Amino acid sequence: MFDQTIQILGKLISFPTISSDSNLALIDWVADYVAGHGAHVEISHDASGTKGNLFATFGPMIDGGIILSGHSDVVPTTGQAWSRDAFTLHESGGLYYGRGACDMKGFIACALALAPQLAQAGLSKPIHIALSYDEETGCLGAPVMLAALAARGLRPGICIVGEPTSMRLINGHKGCCEMHTVLGGLEGHSSMPAAGVNAAVYAARYIGQLMEIAEALKARAPADSPFDPPQTTLNVGRLAAGVATNVIPNHAEIDWEYRPVQLDDIAFVKTRINDFANNVLLPEMRATHPGASIETRTIAEVVGLEPETEGAAQKLVLALTGANTTATVPFGTEAGLFAAQGISTVVCGPGDIAQAHKPDEFVSGEQLRQCLTMLERLLARVSA
């Protein structure tokens, strides 16, 4: 099955599924491939119709199945110094190079290579293969797929998200909420600051409040938090304002993010910063200029994966891999979205996250073989 995995990996990498572009060529190819092995296939699209999720089911159409989940999109190669064509699979020294080889077409290839056996196994419970779009730009596709799944009334029991973890069992990760705040003030000459509304100054005060919230989040860290640092963190990544030193800026933009360790912290951050903006800053700004504004837009809101230490997914993957330990990671995945739907979920897949998003991205043949062993053991467990 390893040779088949490599052939499929090469095909998957040949589709340049950068998040800014359509992924439908890959989705259509996978749909034809799994349908040819007897899978029931459903595809859900984004609003534009140019991107799709695939949800393929092998075995009986009943509740309690197991999802093998991966995202089809990859990050761009622009500006990266690749030593080979990024969208052609290359092998050297047991390493397989190509954009997405690690993150995360290696796992997808392993799951698809299992299709002929899934078709013949006489499964006692369904095995689902789920591929999403736009994970890299904020996990935009998975919610669409999960909504379609809920509309069907199908309730899988377990999900294995195959992000690169070096085949370690990951049972928790932080979420990531990316925000964009725009402040609108009133321009004027710098010699008369009271006649204008300085958007840069109010942006600085807004950031100051964010830093106070960041301090407050430290006290909210769960006593048994498995993360480092243990609390929800908050970061301001970009501030832009002003055109010249003698002009009062009428516009400012702030890009900021927070990485929650628990769902309650999302509401905590939003409530604190919105109360400050609406009840403190805006009244002051509008006293001078009624048209002043503060608007915050959520760019992406990816919930974290809270450890489920006695969960069905953890017990299953520990048994399949032979591992006896779990870990958490700082990067985000779609796992929290599945868990929020009541599906017991863990993260475990081939490849090292240190290779993801880099030029000459690779996955090792050894890691792919370990993943195939895990999936073959899964198949043996659910075969009638």
Side-chain angles (χ1 to χ4, degrees):
M1 197 162 66
F2 180 77
D3 290 344
Q4 176 72 354
T5 299
I6 298 304
Q7 291 177 14
I8 294 173
L9 179 58
K11 185 67 176 180
L12 295 175
I13 287 174
S14 73
F15 294 106
T17 51
I18 297 168
S19 303
S20 58
D21 301 326
S22 174
N23 71 333
L24 289 184
L26 181 148
I27 292 296
D28 289 344
W29 182 85
V30 173
D32 289 343
Y33 170 80
V34 294
H37 289 289
H40 173 81
V41 179
E42 294 197 7
I43 297 175
S44 54
H45 295 88
D46 72 342
S48 72
T50 63
K51 297 183 180 183
N53 301 304
L54 176 141
F55 194 86
T57 301
F58 292 88
M61 297 291 288
I62 60 175
D63 292 344
I66 300 165
I67 302 173
L68 306 176
S69 172
H71 62 80
S72 64
D73 61 318
V74 298
V75 298
T77 59
T78 305
Q80 294 186 337
W82 283 73
S83 63
R84 60 203 80 213
D85 178 21
F87 297 103
T88 301
L89 182 65
H90 295 269
E91 185 275 336
S92 178
L95 306 179
Y96 293 85
Y97 293 85
R99 172 55 85 221
C102 171
D103 186 17
M104 55 180 296
K105 292 179 177 180
F107 176 79
I108 296 171
C110 290
L112 293 177
L114 200 66
Q117 296 183 52
L118 291 171
Q120 302 297 323
L123 300 174
S124 60
K125 61 176 62 177
I127 298 292
H128 310 284
I129 296 177
L131 305 184
S132 65
Y133 65 83
D134 285 3
E135 187 272 349
E136 297 288 6
T137 55
C139 295
L140 304 180
V144 175
M145 178 170 57
L146 288 168
L149 187 63
R152 288 172 53 197
L154 189 62
R155 297 181 60 84
I158 288 174
C159 179
I160 302 172
V161 177
E163 290 277 6
T165 68
S166 299
M167 291 305 297
R168 295 180 302 149
L169 173 56
I170 303 302
N171 68 351
H173 63 70
K174 293 184 179 183
C176 184
C177 302
E178 300 178 9
M179 316 300 289
H180 179 70
T181 299
V182 177
L183 295 91
L186 179 65
E187 70 276 10
H189 196 283
S190 61
S191 65
M192 302 180 65
V197 176
N198 193 314
V201 170
Y202 283 100
R205 291 177 60 185
Y206 188 97
I207 291 173
Q209 180 65 17
L210 288 176
M211 294 302 96
E212 289 188 19
I213 295 171
E215 286 298 311
L217 287 167
K218 293 179 180 179
R220 292 175 56 86
D224 57 349
S225 174
F227 299 105
D228 182 19
Q231 79 277 7
T232 293
T233 58
L234 193 154
N235 181 66
V236 176
R238 187 181 75 96
L239 168 62
V243 294
T245 57
N246 61 349
V247 177
I248 298 170
N250 68 349
H251 182 86
E253 298 183 9
I254 309 166
D255 289 326
W256 56 284
E257 64 152 39
Y258 56 105
R259 296 180 178 262
V261 300
Q262 52 194 352
L263 289 176
D264 288 350
D265 283 350
I266 296 177
F268 176 79
V269 172
K270 287 182 176 180
T271 299
R272 286 283 295 268
I273 193 60
N274 288 340
D275 283 350
F276 182 73
N278 294 330
N279 299 325
V280 177
L281 296 185
L282 272 177
E284 292 182 19
M285 296 167 72
R286 287 175 175 171
T288 300
H289 176 48
S293 61
I294 300 176
E295 297 180 357
T296 295
R297 178 167 59 96
T298 300
I299 303 299
E301 187 170 280
V302 181
V303 298
L305 177 64
E306 297 189 30
E308 185 189 17
T309 55
E310 296 298 321
Q314 178 169 313
K315 291 179 180 178
L316 174 65
V317 176
L318 285 174
L320 296 177
T321 60
N324 56 17
T325 60
T326 63
T328 61
V329 291
F331 60 87
T333 77
E334 294 171 331
L337 297 170
F338 288 93
Q341 298 300 310
I343 302 170
S344 181
T345 304
V346 294
V347 186
C348 183
D352 187 337
I353 194 65
Q355 303 303 324
H357 299 189
K358 291 184 177 180
D360 291 342
E361 176 184 349
F362 68 81
V363 64
S364 73
E366 178 184 2
Q367 288 277 300
L368 294 174
R369 292 182 189 277
Q370 290 180 29
C371 184
L372 288 170
T373 297
M374 177 183 74
L375 296 179
E376 288 176 322
R377 290 174 178 170
L378 171 64
L379 177 59
R381 280 178 169 254
V382 298
S383 296

